[in-house]
Every structure is written in structure tokens, then in C-alpha cells.
Amino acid sequence: MGSRTVSVVVTGATGQVAYALLPRIAAGEMFGPDTDVDLRLSDIPQMIDKARGVIMELEDGAYPLLARVSASADPAESHKGIDWALLVGSKPRGPGMERNDLIKENGPIFVGQGRAIAQHAGPNVRVVVVGNPCNTNCLIARSAAGPAVPDDRWTALTRLDQNRSRSLVAAKTGARVRDVKKLVIWGNHSATLFPDFTNATVGAKKVTDAVDRAWLEGEFLTAVQQRGAAVIAARGASSAFSAAQAIVDHVRSLTSPTPADDWASVAVVSDGSYDVPKGLVSSFPVRVAGDGWWEIVRGVQLDAFAKSKVTTSVAELQREQALVQDLIKAAA
Ligand code: LMR
């Protein structure tokens, strides 16, 4: 039995990512072995029958930590009192598309989510936006929620890109993934993202001393930026269980102290740090100190190459923000 209960809504609950994610939350992998889970499945009305099938499977798993599971298309039910909102529900991209090609279709969903969170969520709610383009969807939802849900509650997922980066460097150097540290994503979850290898370490070495810089600036950078598209091309569908893994990692990183020799990639509402305009949702190196709240790591040095890549990605975020001005204004 858990000593406390966390209420979590997962939107897009009948989709592929949720199908990989829900059993892991129920098994305690996200909130730990001492926490009961009240799991809320949220989806559009025509998916609720299918959600009942997912509920049956969750019941059949007999998860000791699963205190309650329910499904609803009405946020007044599914989002009532929630501690965490995992916003997965959205249209995924297909072959040949960029993630921000989805902005006009998916943006309005996040106006609805922002409002629902402001109206129904618990006072300590924390939000993870997964549906693409996730940074700008987070910006839209954050603006729709208004002042009731402060900036520091809103995050978007760049952990999948971090995990991809670390796996690639581990494979290149013959190290284990766990030995690759401080390799974090800056900017947008898009083809402009920057995995900052300039501050990263592998074992006792700097990554830039362990690996040829031309590989890092070329093949590696492109591989990480294009990995989502490569999965779609190969599988005919976008990443599902690796996305679920990244969501679990993201929440765990925000709820446990960051090891002294590491950072985590989290897209958060910028406070103006590192010249990222205030209010944009951009990925930064983040730490959680002790039992505390997250903070953007201060004083990270970026060389000219790294700076130019971050600038490019942030400029793309500004263009996305301009494209959704109407949604942001309508939300306000
Ligand atoms: C990913 O990175 O795999 C996801 O964001 C899906 C996509 O469209 O790339």
C-alpha cells in the first residue's frame, strides 16, 4: 500500500503512447513503490468505449498500487483534482511531415487542455506536454490556463531526444548509457534541437575529448534531430514505447534530486535565461536540488557553435509562437 495517492490524467488514453505508458504508471514506475495511483484516462467521446477495454486490461494487471482507474471524455470528471496532467492526446505526424506542420490542427486541443486544467485540476498540478509540436502546444496551454496555474508547473518533453543522444554517444564510445552525463537538449523538440555535447561527459572524459568533433557536429547532430522521422519512416508510426519511457524519466527527474554530476533536459517556460525570450517554452538543462523544485542550471558555457545552434532553435520557437498568436489571444 502506498503512503500517499497521486491523481494523474493521461490524455489520448487510447493511443499508442498511452498504451505503453499506462501500465508503467500503474506498476509504480513513475511515482515509486510508496505511492498509490488514481489513474484517469481522458479521450474524445468516440474513444471512450475503447478506453473501457484499456481499463479492463489495467484491472486485469492487478497492480497493487493502482487505487482507482476511470475513463471520461469530460474534463470536469477526468481532470478533477489532478496532481499531474500528461497531455499526450493529439494528432501524430506522418511520413514527410515536420512536427510543427501539426500546429494548426493540434494547437486548439491545447487551448481546451489549458482551460480544463485551470478549471478542474488540483492546486499543485504539474503538466507535461507530449503532443506535438510539444513546446508550442505547452505555450498555448499555459496561456489558456491564465494566472491560476503558474509558469513553473508547465513542461514539455525533450527527454526522448536526451535519451536518443546518450544512446548514440554510448554506442560510439563503447560506454554504457548510464556513463553519459550532462548531455542535454536545448531549444525546440524539432529538427532544430541542439543536444549540447560541448558540456557533456562520458566516464571521466569530456565527450568532445572522447569523440571526434566532426562526428558530433555532423552525423550525431543530424541523427538526433531526425530520429523521430526515422522511426516513423521505419515503423510507419511514430515512437511509442520510447516516448513512454521518456515520459516516465521526465516525471521522475522532476520529482527526485538530480545526481550531482548530471542534468536533465526539460522544456520549461523561459524566465529569460540564456537570452531565450521570456515566456517561450524551450528546453534547458534543469536540476532538482534536494527535496526542492526544479531550476534551470546557471552558468553553463556555450561555445560559438553551441550558441548558434541554440539561437536557431529559439528563432524557430518564436516563429511558431507568431503562428499561434490567434490561439494565444483567444485563450487570454
Ligand atoms: C518523436 O520524437 O519520436 C515524436 O515526437 C514523434 C515525432 O513526430 O517525431
Side-chain angles (χ1 to χ4, degrees):
M1 272 290 284
S3 53
R4 59 180 194 130
T5 302
V6 167
S7 313
V8 191
V9 68
V10 177
T11 69
T14 59
Q16 288 290 316
V17 174
Y19 195 69
L21 178 65
L22 291 165
R24 304 194 52 191
I25 301 174
E29 287 182 53
M30 186 172 271
F31 298 104
D34 296 325
T35 305
D36 282 337
V37 181
D38 173 353
L39 198 48
R40 321 280 184 83
L41 279 56
S42 162
D43 216 317
I44 52 177
Q46 52 273 40
M47 289 297 172
I48 293 303
D49 282 345
K50 187 170 176 188
R52 294 195 208 296
V54 180
I55 289 186
M56 284 184 227
E57 284 207 72
L58 285 163
E59 288 168 352
D60 297 350
Y63 298 99
L65 293 169
L66 188 58
R68 186 168 176 269
V69 56
S70 54
S72 176
D74 178 3
E77 275 178 54
S78 58
H79 292 45
K80 189 167 193 294
I82 45 162
D83 302 304
W84 283 86
L86 309 180
L87 305 184
V88 181
S90 57
K91 186 179 172 193
R93 70 168 160 161
M97 295 170 76
E98 288 300 336
R99 297 182 185 98
N100 57 19
D101 292 336
L102 297 165
I103 214 161
K104 290 284 174 197
E105 261 174 287
N106 284 341
I109 298 173
F110 290 87
V111 174
Q113 284 300 332
R115 287 186 179 142
I117 288 166
Q119 274 173 28
H120 306 297
N124 300 316
V125 67
R126 304 181 70 175
V127 186
V128 186
V129 179
V130 177
N132 280 316
C134 64
N135 299 55
T136 296
N137 287 338
C138 184
L139 175 84
I140 293 168
R142 191 274 156 277
S143 111
V149 190
D151 280 351
D152 60 3
R153 311 299 182 78
W154 299 87
T155 65
L157 191 77
T158 49
R159 185 52 168 264
L160 181 51
D161 309 300
Q162 171 183 313
N163 289 349
R164 290 167 170 163
S165 307
R166 293 186 183 201
S167 274
L168 285 165
V169 166
K172 181 77 173 172
T173 56
R176 298 292 296 270
V177 172
R178 61 177 181 239
D179 299 324
V180 184
K181 306 269 171 70
K182 295 191 172 173
L183 180 44
V184 296
I185 307 303
W186 291 72
N188 200 2
H189 174 58
S190 77
T192 67
L193 63 84
F194 180 57
D196 178 24
F197 50 79
T198 69
N199 286 288
T201 58
V202 52
K205 286 188 171 165
K206 292 187 67 160
V207 164
T208 44
D209 291 334
V211 193
D212 177 26
R213 175 117 188 184
W215 179 81
L216 290 165
E217 290 187 7
E219 211 180 307
F220 166 74
L221 180 57
T222 309
V224 182
Q225 291 175 334
Q226 295 298 333
R227 185 66 161 198
V231 171
I232 292 168
R235 241 171 60 80
S238 55
S239 317
F241 72 75
S242 57
Q245 175 65 41
I247 299 166
V248 172
D249 289 340
H250 176 109
V251 173
R252 289 186 66 91
S253 282
L254 288 173
T255 49
S256 46
T258 311
D261 58 353
D262 209 354
W263 304 329
S265 310
V266 186
V268 295
V269 180
S270 176
D271 59 356
S273 296
Y274 297 98
D275 296 329
V276 179
K278 209 167 167 344
L280 281 185
V281 175
S282 189
S283 189
F284 291 96
V286 158
R287 289 185 49 74
V288 173
D291 292 338
W293 199 251
W294 63 265
E295 59 193 15
I296 295 173
V297 179
R298 304 287 157 199
V300 178
Q301 300 295 320
L302 297 173
D303 68 14
F305 178 84
K307 262 195 198 134
S308 81
K309 294 294 169 192
V310 175
T311 303
T312 302
S313 199
V314 170
E316 181 184 49
L317 284 170
Q318 287 178 295
R319 286 196 300 278
E320 290 184 10
Q321 180 185 35
L323 274 177
V324 298
Q325 265 320 312
D326 53 332
L327 291 179
I328 293 175
K329 284 214 190 84

